[in-house]
Amino acid sequence: MILMEKETLIWAEEALEKVTKKMECVHERSKDKIPYTTVNGVHDDHSKNDIGWWTNGFWGGIMWQLYNVTKDERYKKTAIENEEKLDALFLNYKLLDHDNGFKWLPTAVANYRVTSNDQSKNRGILAADNLAGRFNANGNFIRAWNDWDGDKVDRRGWAIIDCMMNLPLLYWASETTKDPRYKHIAIKHANTAKENFVRPDGSVKHIVEFDIEKGGEVKNYGGQGYKEGSSWTRGQGWGIYGFALSFLHTGDIEYLKTAQKIADHFIEKTPENGLIPVDFEQPSDITWEDSTAAAIAACGMIQISKFDECTDKDKYYNAAVKLIKALTDNRINWNENEDDLLTKCTAAYHDEKHEFSIIYGDYYYIEALCKLTDKELFIW
Ligand code: GLY
């Protein structure tokens, strides 16, 4: 029995109701777009000139969660349009990277789970085939990014913690095709990540470079966090939720232990007010926050608390509720005339711009409320 569950349920239901009310207005204005952020309260649109951007599945994911909660067919229609727009990617391998999971799990695979339609299944399997093709068999890791035009960085050996969230596409493909190859790759990558990304204190590295012929860590990078050796908070969130999901799909208890270890570090570092910095190790005079990290970590902790094998369900559930309450009370824009929902999100510590709205922050905040109220359409 999780403490205070009833009280939290009532609170979360009220919050979700307010969110769905606001999102009805946002949807009316943004239904033809694939938004990433807002400019002066208005969603931008990545569907025309930036269809390869890694976040382009989250608007569809929001639509499926809203559809699941309200059964309003308008959301389903917009979700399917988002899915169809992503088809352009299958004609350009340069636009495909390890983020196939983020793009097609909340769109095609969600659609397939709801409607069992063959076209969405086809899209999901194609995306999984491409993701599996990024596996380095000597190093046992999935290559993260491609070489970006213009810079001379060799990324062939790079894997990143975020990829743990893309592995469920491979687990789903094995379950759907009854072919274990996809799952074998996911497990090999997850084991490499468990050994090489997670530090003894439970924090995780963002980027690890592996030897592309022999395997083994060559070097690691601070990536989107403050510096090498620091604790980029969204990366911690990807680790918590990602390892919890590998446990869900494989039943390997070591993944659950790893998720709990990363979550313990996150809980220990969470400030009293529950608002999360961009990096737990950022200098004390830097106040930049990343609300996306709070929302993602909360989803991961709620997921952990649902497992029978979890050793301290209350701890993870209560920590997640603290994070989501802090966001609800302080970091939600309730103005129905503006498109942004979750505020003070940060893409990367060393970017020029900090603390703006980002679509995956909105997505995971909504998913967390759906999880707390048992109204979630399972995406991962
Ligand atoms: N997956 C990239 C990021 O979290 O910013």
Side-chain angles (χ1 to χ4, degrees):
M1 173 67 185
I2 292 167
L3 284 175
M4 288 173 51
E5 198 170 19
K6 222 175 193 163
E7 198 181 289
T8 303
L9 185 65
I10 294 166
W11 165 83
E13 268 168 358
E14 280 170 10
L16 184 59
E17 212 175 298
K18 272 174 80 181
V19 168
T20 46
K21 191 164 166 283
K22 164 156 180 163
M23 290 310 291
E24 196 179 342
C25 308
V26 176
H27 172 259
E28 217 25 61
R29 292 189 292 268
S30 301
K31 57 181 184 274
D32 297 327
K33 301 178 178 177
I34 300 184
Y36 167 63
T37 186
T38 50
V39 180
N40 300 324
V42 178
H43 269 150
D44 64 353
D45 180 15
H46 280 247
S47 69
K48 306 267 171 358
N49 302 321
D50 196 13
I51 195 62
W53 185 230
W54 76 275
T55 69
N56 283 351
F58 288 104
W59 177 241
I62 291 173
M63 295 300 109
W64 280 116
Q65 296 297 357
L66 293 175
Y67 172 71
N68 198 48
V69 172
T70 64
K71 299 295 175 250
D72 185 331
E73 291 289 325
R74 289 176 298 174
Y75 296 130
K76 185 172 169 188
K77 182 171 179 286
T78 303
I80 292 170
E81 284 167 9
N82 187 148
E83 176 184 335
E84 288 169 352
K85 285 172 190 164
L86 293 180
D87 281 354
L89 296 182
F90 291 124
L91 297 175
N92 189 342
Y93 79 91
K94 275 190 172 181
L95 296 180
L96 294 165
D97 56 27
H98 79 132
D99 283 331
N100 286 6
F102 283 128
K103 290 171 192 157
W104 279 284
L105 283 167
T107 53
V109 175
N111 188 353
Y112 177 67
R113 283 180 167 137
V114 174
T115 67
S116 305
N117 88 79
D118 226 49
Q119 203 175 28
S120 295
K121 175 179 167 182
N122 184 42
R123 290 181 175 117
I125 300 295
L126 280 176
D129 275 328
N130 179 268
L131 178 58
R134 302 186 71 83
F135 184 65
N136 180 312
N138 285 8
N140 286 318
F141 68 90
I142 292 173
R143 176 178 174 174
W145 297 309
N146 304 331
D147 297 328
W148 297 326
D149 292 339
D151 77 6
K152 300 226 159 44
V153 181
D154 179 358
R155 295 189 180 81
R156 290 174 298 172
W158 285 25
I160 67 175
I161 190 65
D162 323 28
C163 190
M164 291 304 299
M165 291 299 293
N166 290 315
L167 301 185
L169 181 65
L170 300 176
Y171 295 126
W172 168 82
S174 273
E175 194 188 298
T176 304
T177 61
K178 309 286 176 242
D179 182 335
R181 287 175 303 138
Y182 304 97
K183 180 180 74 178
H184 294 160
I185 287 173
I187 289 171
K188 288 213 158 117
H189 179 91
N191 289 341
T192 301
K194 179 161 65 71
E195 295 308 318
N196 293 275
F197 280 78
V198 188
R199 304 188 187 104
D201 70 352
S203 66
V204 295
K205 305 166 190 172
H206 183 201
I207 302 171
V208 176
E209 180 174 352
F210 295 97
D211 186 300
I212 55 172
E213 294 296 343
K214 299 193 292 277
E217 178 173 336
V218 173
K219 187 171 181 335
N220 68 81
Y221 303 88
Q224 285 161 252
Y226 170 48
K227 62 176 187 182
E228 189 193 317
S230 73
S231 178
W232 175 50
T233 54
R234 191 163 62 255
Q236 313 309 302
W238 295 139
I240 296 167
Y241 203 2
F243 278 104
L245 290 166
S246 270
F247 171 67
L248 177 80
H249 292 290
T250 66
D252 182 339
I253 195 74
E254 292 306 316
Y255 297 144
L256 177 58
K257 286 187 192 159
T258 305
Q260 286 188 218
K261 183 173 171 169
I262 305 168
D264 289 345
H265 165 81
F266 199 100
I267 292 167
E268 191 194 311
K269 294 281 180 180
T270 296
E272 199 48 49
N273 65 9
L275 300 169
I276 300 301
V278 180
D279 193 307
F280 284 129
E281 305 301 330
Q282 69 194 30
S284 55
D285 59 329
I286 299 290
T287 58
W288 298 326
E289 290 175 26
D290 181 16
S291 301
T292 75
I296 295 159
C299 285
M301 291 183 205
I302 300 167
Q303 190 68 50
I304 291 173
S305 75
K306 288 180 190 261
F307 295 128
D308 289 341
E309 296 85 345
C310 170
T311 45
D312 196 346
K313 289 164 182 276
D314 286 349
K315 174 179 176 183
Y316 300 106
Y317 179 82
N318 291 335
V321 169
K322 174 175 170 165
L323 292 170
I324 296 301
K325 278 196 168 153
L327 293 179
T328 306
D329 292 346
N330 304 288
R331 297 292 177 254
I332 297 297
N333 177 3
W334 294 112
N335 184 343
E336 292 178 1
N337 297 314
E338 292 172 352
D339 295 339
D340 52 320
L341 184 66
L342 192 63
T343 64
K344 294 213 175 199
C345 306
T346 294
Y349 184 89
H350 291 288
D351 281 356
E352 274 176 23
K353 195 175 161 200
H354 303 90
E355 302 191 322
F356 50 104
S357 83
I358 305 184
I359 199 71
Y360 50 86
D362 294 355
Y363 173 79
Y364 285 103
Y365 173 72
I366 292 172
E367 186 188 295
L369 289 178
C370 292
K371 270 182 174 348
L372 290 172
T373 53
D374 274 334
K375 293 197 172 103
E376 176 190 17
L377 173 73
F378 189 74
I379 296 283
W380 312 105

